[in-house]
């Protein structure tokens, strides 16, 4: 798709005033990106990758994970993991069947506000204790400690397979006194305070975990991508290409921290006033610029900014708002998903969202059509921009594209947002020659972040 056509029926509003249609056409021109525009963004993305491979402290951090092996899919045994994400924490027992398959037992805990702002590591240790006690597997004094992998979904400067210092908090967490400290040590101390015989032997980013999980089930996995609450990617790089790393001639998994792309100078991403407003009011302004255009945490807020911009011009909801709509983060990205696929004659699902959830007294059919178009535009831009990072990373090692190559993807945007997967894959196909693109397989690496940490613990055990 080269960009918006004035005749595209998706953006024509039945019954709209000329001013409403013009405003929507303007939004479409901002949010729908041509292949030419995406190509120039991809070129800059690659340049920033090369900078990050050469030295620390660049906008794309390209962090070595200390994982230099690929799982074979034939390993067996039971391994444990802690998966600490943006909204939930899970404790898992993962059993590898030796044929690329896994079975898991897990318990999910919702992060409390206190955990997000103060007591995160003690809260995590308590969750581990609950899991071990509930499953009656808590090691006693004469038993060997349980070895666990930790998936930690925040930027960490890894210093070994089992240590790493926190670079910054993202995704709404802000626990004081942790930046610059070893997160494994902080967790290990909390586990010791509870008297738990648990040793954290591997620290992985959620994206590295997704890659390892995909690689256990399919050895051709080259990339792990998260497209959910946040976004990031990891991939296997030839050690010789990583100037800042002491090469031993093999491969190493790099955690790209790609959500930060273009955060330093806002020069290439397609910023609109709605993105700038979101960034300015976020808890991490001028950070995670790429993530803020792609990931589920932010898309609802972009849509809300667009709605208020239209309402302020009396082009939406007759200029009305509500206390709910005026509040930041009041539009969940799930509402946009639902709106995108509402094909009922009177757009009744969207009517529910506007009038019941957002508490705006009434909406017209034109209002609902505009809400649907906003949802489509924000989602399509997200999917097209996601393809940029995938293309830049896959073409970094073009020789691997001559044989089957798997991209494992986890996250709610990829799995649930309507048309996301199709638009993303189609966009990737525009930038990779057909004879190579046919080798590329996108697969859902379901629960990659949890299973991946257990696989990292297994790889760590191989080295012990």
């Amino acid at each position: 798709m080269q960009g918006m056509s004035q005749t595209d029926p998706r953006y024509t509003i039945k019954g709209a005033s000329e001013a409403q249609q013009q405003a929507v056409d303007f939004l479409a021109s901002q949010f729908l990106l041509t292949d030419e525009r995406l190509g120039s963004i991809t070129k800059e993305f690659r340049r920033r990758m090369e900078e990050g491979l050469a030295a620390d402290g660049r906008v794309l951090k390209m962090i070595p994970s200390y994982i230099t092996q690929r799982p074979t899919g034939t390993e067996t045994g039971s391994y444990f993991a802690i998966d600490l994400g943006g909204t939930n924490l899970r404790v898992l027992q993962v059993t590898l069947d030796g044929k690329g398959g896994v079975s898991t037992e897990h318990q999910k805990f919702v992060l409390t506000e206190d955990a997000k702002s103060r007591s995160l590591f003690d809260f995590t240790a308590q969750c581990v204790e609950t899991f071990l006690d509930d499953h009656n597997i808590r090691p006693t004094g004469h038993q060997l400690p349980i070895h666990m992998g930790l998936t930690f979904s925040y930027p960490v400067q890894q210093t070994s397979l089992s240590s790493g210092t926190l670079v910054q908090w993202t995704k709404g967490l802000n626990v004081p006194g942790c930046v610059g400290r070893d997160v494994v040590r902080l967790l290990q101390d909390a586990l010791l305070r509870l008297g738990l015989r648990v040793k954290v032997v591997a620290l992985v980013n959620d994206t590295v975990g997704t890659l390892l999980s995909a690689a256990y089930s399919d050895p051709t996995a080259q990339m792990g991508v998260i497209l959910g609450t946040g976004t990031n990617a990891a991939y296997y790089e030839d050690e010789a290409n990583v100037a800042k790393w002491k090469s031993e001639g093999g491969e190493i998994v790099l955690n790209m921290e790609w959500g930060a792309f273009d955060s330093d100078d806002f020069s290439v991403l397609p910023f609109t006033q709605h993105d700038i407003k979101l960034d300015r009011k976020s808890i991490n302004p001028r950070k995670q610029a790429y993530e803020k255009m792609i990931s589920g945490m932010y898309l609802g807020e972009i849509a809300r900014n667009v709605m208020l911009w239209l309402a302020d011009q009396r082009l939406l909801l007759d200029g009305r708002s509500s206390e709910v709509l005026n509040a930041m983060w009041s539009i969940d990205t799930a509402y946009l998903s639902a709106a995108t696929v509402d094909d009922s004659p009177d757009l009744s699902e969207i009517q529910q969202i506007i009038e019941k959830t957002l508490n705006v007294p009434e909406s017209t059919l034109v209002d609902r059509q505009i809400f649907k178009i906003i949802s489509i535009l924000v989602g399509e831009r997200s999917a097209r921009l996601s393809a940029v990072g995938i293309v830049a990373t896959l073409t970094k090692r073009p020789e691997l594209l001559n044989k089957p190559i798997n991209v494992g993807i986890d996250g709610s945007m990829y799995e649930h947002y309507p048309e996301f997967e199709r638009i993303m894959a189609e966009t990737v196909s525009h930038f990779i020659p057909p004879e190579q693109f046919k080798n590329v397989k996108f697969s859902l690496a379901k629960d990659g972040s949890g299973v991946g940490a257990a696989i990292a613990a297994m790889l760590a055990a191989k080295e012990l």
Side-chain angles (χ1 to χ4, degrees):
M1 189 202 70
Q2 292 297 321
M4 190 206 71
S5 148
Q6 289 297 324
T7 57
D8 189 327
R10 290 188 304 167
Y11 310 114
T12 304
I13 307 162
K14 294 186 189 70
S17 69
E18 190 179 342
Q20 285 173 316
Q21 187 63 60
Q22 281 176 350
V24 166
D25 288 346
F26 175 67
L27 286 169
S29 72
Q30 286 186 302
F31 279 85
L32 296 177
L33 308 171
T34 63
D35 278 358
E36 185 182 6
R37 181 81 189 268
L38 289 174
S40 65
I41 298 171
T42 304
K43 196 170 162 189
E44 179 66 7
F45 198 101
R46 171 64 75 74
R47 188 177 78 76
R48 295 311 188 95
M49 285 176 69
E50 298 291 355
E51 280 184 359
L53 290 171
D56 288 335
R58 299 297 189 255
V59 71
L60 286 190
K61 295 194 173 68
M62 309 299 282
I63 300 167
S65 67
Y66 289 78
I67 289 170
T68 53
Q69 306 175 57
R70 288 181 181 246
T72 62
T74 59
E75 299 94 343
T76 58
S78 250
Y79 300 88
F80 292 84
I82 302 160
D83 176 19
L84 181 55
T87 45
N88 299 312
L89 179 154
R90 290 175 313 140
V91 184
L92 306 93
Q93 181 175 14
V94 177
T95 304
L96 310 178
D97 71 1
K99 304 187 198 101
V102 301
S103 57
T104 62
E105 286 265 334
H106 76 266
Q107 260 174 281
K108 187 190 244 182
F109 305 87
V110 177
L111 289 183
T112 61
E113 287 310 311
D114 188 64
K116 289 180 182 181
S117 60
R118 195 178 65 86
S119 62
L120 182 70
F121 294 100
D122 285 307
F123 177 82
T124 303
Q126 286 159 10
C127 294
V128 171
E129 181 175 49
T130 300
F131 180 85
L132 296 179
D133 287 345
D134 286 359
H135 291 77
N136 207 21
I137 47 177
R138 181 177 182 145
T140 55
H142 61 278
Q143 290 174 307
L144 289 171
I146 280 177
H147 285 182
M148 273 193 170
L150 167 64
T151 295
F152 192 76
S153 314
Y154 302 90
V156 163
Q157 186 66 48
Q158 198 113 7
T159 46
S160 74
L161 183 54
S162 60
S163 62
T165 54
L166 179 66
V167 176
Q168 69 185 56
W169 288 116
T170 56
K171 286 183 285 199
L173 255 71
N174 201 0
V175 183
C178 298
V179 172
R181 296 179 67 188
D182 177 4
V183 295
V184 174
R185 184 76 261 152
L186 290 168
L187 176 57
Q188 197 67 65
D189 287 348
L191 291 163
L192 286 170
R193 282 195 287 276
L194 293 179
L196 291 174
R197 294 176 59 75
V198 172
K199 186 169 170 54
V200 182
V201 294
L203 169 66
V204 296
N205 175 273
D206 54 351
T207 320
V208 173
T210 297
L211 174 54
L212 292 177
S213 168
Y216 183 76
S217 62
D218 180 352
T220 71
Q222 169 58 15
M223 262 188 100
V225 184
I226 302 277
L227 293 164
T229 310
T231 184
N232 190 15
Y235 75 108
Y236 278 99
E237 180 58 276
D238 183 337
E239 284 188 332
N241 294 337
V242 190
K244 65 183 180 183
W245 176 259
K246 184 167 62 67
S247 172
E248 293 175 13
E251 288 184 309
I252 184 163
V253 175
L254 293 176
N255 162 23
M256 299 173 73
E257 289 298 337
W258 80 7
F261 171 62
D262 203 31
S263 296
D264 51 349
D265 50 14
F266 281 32
S267 63
V268 287
L269 286 173
F271 292 95
T272 67
Q273 71 194 75
H274 314 294
D275 300 295
I276 300 291
K277 182 179 172 187
L278 178 146
D279 180 70
R280 198 167 50 235
K281 294 191 164 190
S282 68
I283 64 165
N284 56 345
R286 304 292 292 196
K287 292 192 167 84
Q288 301 299 101
Y290 186 55
E291 178 168 83
K292 284 171 179 165
M293 288 191 183
I294 286 176
S295 69
M297 178 165 179
Y298 300 103
L299 299 192
E301 183 62 8
I302 295 169
R304 191 185 74 89
N305 287 344
V306 174
M307 288 178 74
L308 292 177
W309 175 74
L310 290 168
D312 288 348
Q313 301 171 74
R314 302 286 299 266
L315 298 174
L316 183 68
L317 303 170
D318 196 28
R320 288 189 307 274
S321 186
S322 69
E323 208 173 317
V324 179
L325 185 54
N326 285 338
M328 277 189 79
W329 313 111
S330 58
I331 295 187
D332 193 293
T333 300
Y335 307 162
L336 308 187
S337 282
T340 301
V341 292
D342 185 356
D343 291 325
S344 60
D346 57 354
L347 299 178
S348 53
E349 183 80 24
I350 295 172
Q351 183 174 13
Q352 276 292 110
I353 292 167
I354 294 174
E355 296 178 16
K356 297 287 188 291
T357 312
L358 299 177
N359 215 16
V360 178
E362 59 179 306
S363 63
T364 65
L365 185 54
V366 168
D367 292 330
R368 291 169 225 151
Q369 289 176 78
I370 292 173
F371 186 89
K372 179 171 180 174
I373 288 167
I374 294 168
S375 303
I376 291 170
L377 290 174
V378 169
E380 181 153 328
R381 185 182 69 163
S382 168
R384 298 262 290 162
L385 283 173
S386 300
V388 163
I390 291 170
V391 169
T393 307
L394 288 179
T395 55
K396 174 74 180 61
R397 297 183 69 187
E399 72 283 359
L400 297 182
L401 287 164
N402 295 323
K403 52 186 195 291
I405 190 167
N406 179 22
V407 179
I409 307 180
D410 195 7
S412 51
M413 287 302 297
Y414 178 76
E415 189 178 2
H416 299 303
Y417 204 94
E419 296 291 295
F420 189 97
E421 181 186 11
R422 181 190 64 75
I423 293 167
M424 185 201 76
E426 186 183 294
T427 305
V428 172
S429 76
H430 296 180
F431 296 95
I432 291 177
E435 65 278 8
Q436 291 186 315
F437 182 73
K438 71 175 173 25
N439 292 327
V440 178
K441 181 177 99 183
F442 297 104
S443 64
L444 181 64
K446 192 76 182 114
D447 188 25
S449 54
V451 171
I455 291 169
M458 177 271 292
L459 293 175
K462 278 186 178 182
E463 295 183 3
L464 289 175

